[in-house]
Amino acid sequence: MALDPRDPGPAYLAFWRERHVCTLTTPRPDGTPHVVPVGVTYDPTAGIARVITNKHSRKVAHIQAAGPSGAPVAVCQMAGKRWATLEGRAVIRTEKELIEDAERRYAARYERTPSPNPDRVLIEITLTRALGRA
């Protein structure tokens, strides 16, 4: 079921506030999907999903390989029959204040502060679509 990523409804938003491991799907250079587990935070007001990660990861390399306009990606979570997917265009952000904001959001959702990592970057996804049954 397609939803507005900026106004998906209260049940969908509540589901994204619960603590769930998610997946991030990025395109490899050959076009095949690369799917990995990640923590995701969702900001419907800004229309953005955020993933903090190491700058040396394959997911970062895939997004950077897509060029300055970013890569089409999807993040997804599920629990039983409930599921939610957010789609959009991802770019890599290295600004300290954006990474710190993403770390705070991660800590609030996952109830743990991420370990210090000088190689941390932010995958910022500008959302274009929301799907799911929450």
Side-chain angles (χ1 to χ4, degrees):
M1 169 190 241
L3 304 164
D4 178 352
R6 289 181 170 264
D7 186 20
Y12 195 84
L13 293 173
F15 186 45
W16 275 101
R17 283 190 293 272
E18 295 173 13
R19 185 179 178 192
H20 295 288
V21 173
C22 303
T23 61
L24 169 68
T25 304
T26 58
R28 292 185 181 105
D30 68 2
T32 60
H34 177 253
V35 183
V36 294
V38 293
V40 176
T41 61
Y42 173 30
D43 180 353
T45 303
I48 292 173
R50 295 171 178 88
V51 175
I52 54 175
T53 190
N54 190 295
K55 69 181 179 183
H56 302 293
S57 69
R58 293 303 315 149
K59 56 190 164 285
V60 168
H62 295 157
I63 294 166
Q64 289 174 323
S69 64
V73 302
V75 290
C76 182
Q77 67 180 21
M78 61 172 282
K81 293 182 179 184
R82 298 180 307 153
W83 64 277
T85 299
L86 298 169
E87 297 177 4
R89 188 151 293 272
V91 295
I92 305 304
R93 304 296 298 256
T94 59
E95 298 94 325
K96 182 180 179 185
E97 65 278 3
L98 295 178
I99 293 168
E100 290 172 348
D101 176 60
E103 290 170 336
R104 284 189 294 275
R105 291 170 186 273
Y106 178 97
R109 180 173 189 204
Y110 291 98
E111 300 173 345
R112 73 171 198 84
T113 302
S115 301
N117 180 352
D119 291 331
R120 181 165 289 134
V121 295
L122 168 62
I123 298 173
E124 184 179 81
I125 306 164
T126 300
L127 302 173
T128 57
R129 183 178 303 165
L131 305 163
R133 293 197 184 277

